[in-house]
Amino acid sequence: MKKVIVLLLVTGLFSCAKLPLQDAERVYSSELIRDTDYGVVMHVTPVHYDIPPATIRLEITNKTDSTIEFGANYTIDRYDTASDEWIEFGPPEGTAVIAIMYMLEPEKTQNYNIGLFPDKISCPPGTYRITKRIYVNEKNMEYYAPFVLDE
């Protein structure tokens, strides 16, 4: 059973660490996540989308023995091949996110629609990632889920 606690606050978006592509790929690996990131698996399904999707589907699975918690907040980064860096891409500046705390029980999976706002920002073809902060065993962890926008 999914529990939702609505906190009557409006909050900004979390910023995320910028990782070189080779490090990010290791973070994205489901096998590595299961071994090192406290049993939470986060990925986008499908990984490839045609431009311009309004939303993409993010799936989070709790493989721990305790409930995990996370907010509705997320950031989207685009990989810049010229600088070999992840550049924060969205949601658009000024987008308000109502602070909702989701709780995901052990061995459960939940899907979430993530807005890309193609009417407000241009989404060129390329490699992107969603970043979310998830509280796992009283630790605030940052998770990444890659996806590709095709022409």
Side-chain angles (χ1 to χ4, degrees):
M1 176 173 76
K2 183 172 81 171
K3 297 178 185 176
V4 179
I5 299 172
V6 179
L7 305 174
L8 301 174
L9 301 171
V10 176
T11 181
L13 303 170
F14 291 114
S15 63
C16 66
K18 309 298 182 212
L19 298 175
L21 184 59
Q22 60 273 18
D23 291 341
E25 288 175 340
R26 286 197 300 266
V27 171
Y28 297 153
S29 165
S30 291
E31 291 77 23
L32 182 65
I33 288 172
R34 285 188 191 106
D35 292 343
T36 62
D37 286 341
Y38 303 94
V40 175
V41 178
M42 185 176 94
H43 64 275
V44 171
T45 57
V47 173
H48 288 265
Y49 284 83
D50 291 332
I51 294 176
T55 61
I56 59 173
R57 192 175 108 191
L58 179 69
E59 183 175 283
I60 301 174
T61 301
N62 180 3
K63 297 218 170 250
T64 72
D65 58 0
S66 62
T67 300
I68 62 172
E69 301 171 348
F70 50 92
N73 306 50
Y74 63 91
T75 57
I76 300 171
D77 298 320
R78 185 172 191 276
Y79 182 70
D80 181 56
T81 54
S83 65
D84 193 32
E85 291 185 323
W86 290 99
I87 308 298
E88 189 169 322
F89 183 76
E93 187 173 323
T95 301
V97 178
I98 296 175
I100 298 174
M101 180 63 72
Y102 294 103
M103 302 173 88
L104 189 58
E105 295 175 351
E107 301 303 321
K108 300 288 182 182
T109 297
Q110 187 66 42
N111 295 311
Y112 302 91
N113 289 324
I114 302 294
L116 294 184
F117 305 96
D119 57 329
K120 295 183 180 177
I121 54 177
S122 174
C123 300
T127 302
Y128 295 79
R129 72 178 181 190
I130 295 171
T131 303
K132 285 193 73 60
R133 292 183 185 265
I134 300 176
Y135 295 92
V136 182
N137 296 324
E138 298 182 18
K139 292 183 181 183
N140 185 8
M141 306 293 294
E142 197 166 70
Y143 287 84
Y144 305 97
F147 62 99
V148 176
L149 294 182
D150 297 317
E151 288 188 57

